[in-house]
Amino acid sequence: MAINRIAIGTPGEASRPDAIRAAFAEFFSMVIFVFAGQGSGMAYGKLTGDGPATPSGLVAASLSHAFALFVAVSVGANVSGGHVNPAVTFGAFIGGNITLLRAILYWIAQLLGAVVACLLLKVSTGGMETSAFSLSYGVTPWNAVIFEIVMTFGLVYTVYATAVDPKKGDIGIIAPLAIGLIVGANILVGGAFDGASMNPAVSFGPAVVSWTWTNHWVYWVGPFIGAAIAAIVYDTIFISSNGHEPLPSNDF
């Protein structure tokens, strides 16, 4: 079972050259992803004069995030596995595919990358607001938690199926595309309700820069629960039951 393979790691692991390179890869991938994703929303606001959300704006957000994540995962895949998401890293940890110490290193890099991307956007746009994720009218925090659990489950399940599973074969080639597409599709579903984060770092960056923390916990609790469920379900049913061992963390 996945949870039986959870490992803390060795004291010197975080200072190993390969771990440092992987952290840098996560940092730069996150900068690429958040700059494009958050930036598209800011560009929409500029074009519409900060007008109300529209279906076309939702589609634009979906496409920009899907394209940017496809690239961000692709460029980091050979170095760090291209997690580009603390929830994905948590799912990898629960499945025994990454140690806790390396996961912490990834989390630090991912959060810093998101903050730097938002700061760059604020500077390059002349001080435009980097809006934090928020709940739409009528959506309660617990509604949003359920949304984030289900959407992140779909994301991490896709990661396991296309990138982690030892039996993936040639389908592993399309892993970044599949991961980008499920995020884009989920934004079409949840974007109008809670912003469809699925990624604590993506929520953390604009929250820090705008210093807005209302219901911020939703965007950590939901994705981490969804990631853990997806990791345990996929590993238990499709990997461990067939006697396969998990891959090293830098192989996905």
Side-chain angles (χ1 to χ4, degrees), residues 91-180:
F93 166 67
I94 293 295
N97 295 285
I98 187 172
T99 66
L100 178 60
L101 291 178
R102 185 179 285 248
I104 291 173
L105 197 62
Y106 278 30
W107 289 330
I108 293 171
Q110 291 159 353
L111 294 175
L112 285 175
V115 172
V116 168
C118 289
L119 287 172
L120 289 172
L121 281 168
K122 190 172 184 66
V123 172
S124 60
T125 59
M128 285 182 65
E129 181 183 5
T130 55
S131 299
F133 279 71
S134 61
L135 310 185
S136 297
Y137 177 77
V139 178
T140 70
W142 290 109
N143 294 149
V145 167
I146 294 172
F147 256 115
E148 292 296 324
I149 289 173
V150 176
M151 291 186 294
T152 310
F153 175 91
L155 167 58
V156 175
Y157 188 93
T158 301
V159 170
Y160 262 79
T162 61
V164 179
D165 194 331
K167 307 184 301 298
K168 65 182 182 293
D170 292 340
I171 198 174
I173 298 173
I174 69 163
L177 177 60
I179 292 165

